[in-house]
Amino acid sequence: MESASSTAFSFALRRSSSTKLGEASAGSVGRRTGRPCVRVSALSYRQFVQFALDETALHTRMTPSPLQERFGSMKPLDDKTEIELLSYKAPKIRLLRSLSIQGEKGLQVLDFAMLPEPEYDLPIFCANFFTAAETNIVVLDLNPLYDVIKHKDYKDKYYGDLMSLGFKYAELLPWGGKLTGESLRFFSPMVIWTRFKSSQHMHDILYSAFVDYLKAWLVLMDLGIRETDASRIIANREAQHRYLTWRAEKDPGYEVLKRLFGETHAKNVVRGFLFDGVDSLGSKTFLDYFPEYQCEEGRVNEKRSMIGKSFATRPWNRKGEFIENCND
């Protein structure tokens, strides 16, 4: 794979960063889509969503996804929790979707992703934030379509120019504890995996990281060249399907969704909204991709790690090279 031009990347990143933090044009997506802007509190994740929609609309033409009609009006079982499900598509984006939850006792959830069309081997923008009382659990990444430990050409193509950005925030948002080897296959060297106690200062750092990571992904999207080789498109589709199949099976937020929607609706949200494509991009099952999880009776083993490795510290150096001996 050819690396994106460093000069073009730097120029595009400077251009997309011309908007100051927090100054995304309020209401621009509202004017494009008819959706009004949301008034948010200082610690609301909806601020993140509003910025993402406004910034993305500056780069591409967004239209509501068909999923919006199906899921956009879903309501929780209780009347104390606010939920917003949004979904869009664009020429290079198969699905931009967002699930945000605001509940009692400080409960907040944001699950935001942008998945490329199979004609592009772009990473998948992923932001999974969970807040309860004073605890925050965060994953922010440009998830690689192909395992960057095995595919150095893919790592160099998409992350070579971004490692300084990743380590800037790795120092501000330290590694959050042991991470299984299975999960690591779906993360990039610039992943932010962290835990912290709630404060305005930490929330501001997280918002800044979200803004910078989103802008970096949009630059990669702008530079993305449509694939014409049928075999590469098929490979991209299967790689994305594999990712979605893993995420749908191992989604840590499923129990929260089950409490809010009930079991049937929660499963529909996971497979039909959060990880749309798991039932349409391919026909392989979870056990086809990950046979090591099969129990004797044929069901999926619910154990979190079958490899037996866990990583207590960041397993990549500043060049994005995997550090094999930093596992427990």
Side-chain angles (χ1 to χ4, degrees), residues 53-126:
L53 296 178
D54 287 344
E55 187 68 17
T56 303
L58 297 177
H59 289 253
T60 187
R61 181 176 176 273
M62 298 164 56
T63 57
S65 161
L67 297 180
Q68 188 63 38
E69 183 175 354
R70 180 181 172 192
F71 292 97
S73 60
M74 286 191 68
K75 302 295 182 184
L77 296 175
D78 66 65
D79 58 359
K80 300 176 182 179
T81 304
E82 296 181 20
I83 295 176
E84 187 173 46
L85 295 94
L86 301 171
S87 58
Y88 297 87
K89 60 181 181 177
K92 295 182 182 180
I93 302 173
R94 183 178 69 81
L95 178 64
L96 180 162
R97 55 83 174 152
S98 171
L99 166 65
S100 57
I101 299 171
Q102 290 193 122
E104 292 186 299
K105 299 179 181 179
L107 173 66
Q108 286 197 77
V109 176
L110 175 63
D111 193 332
F112 184 96
M114 289 196 283
L115 297 104
E117 292 283 5
E119 288 79 9
Y120 301 89
D121 66 354
L122 292 166
I124 296 167
F125 181 88
C126 167

Side-chain angles (χ1 to χ4, degrees), residues 261-280:
F261 296 120
E263 186 171 5
T264 299
H265 288 313
K267 287 181 178 178
N268 288 337
V269 169
V270 170
R271 295 186 69 90
F273 181 81
L274 292 179
F275 308 113
D276 172 65
V278 73
D279 294 321
S280 60

Side-chain angles (χ1 to χ4, degrees), residues 35 56 67 98 100 103 134 137 165 169 174 207 232 234 238 243 263 273 290 304 316 324:
R35 189 178 72 84
T56 303
L67 297 180
S98 171
S100 57
E134 295 185 353
I137 303 172
L165 175 65
Y169 286 107
Y207 180 71
R232 293 304 308 161
I234 291 172
E238 179 165 308
Y243 168 90
E263 186 171 5
F273 181 81
F290 312 101
R304 297 299 298 176
W316 288 284
E324 182 66 36

Side-chain angles (χ1 to χ4, degrees), residues 92 120-122 158 218-226:
K92 295 182 182 180
Y120 301 89
D121 66 354
L122 292 166
Y158 284 117
L218 289 171
V219 168
L220 296 179
M221 182 197 71
D222 289 342
L223 296 173
I225 299 174
R226 184 181 181 88

Side-chain angles (χ1 to χ4, degrees), residues 179-199:
L179 191 69
T180 65
E182 285 92 340
S183 297
L184 204 69
R185 294 178 295 190
F186 298 96
F187 291 142
S188 81
M190 61 184 294
V191 62
I192 299 299
W193 148 239
T194 190
R195 302 170 186 258
F196 56 82
K197 290 185 177 180
S198 294
S199 70

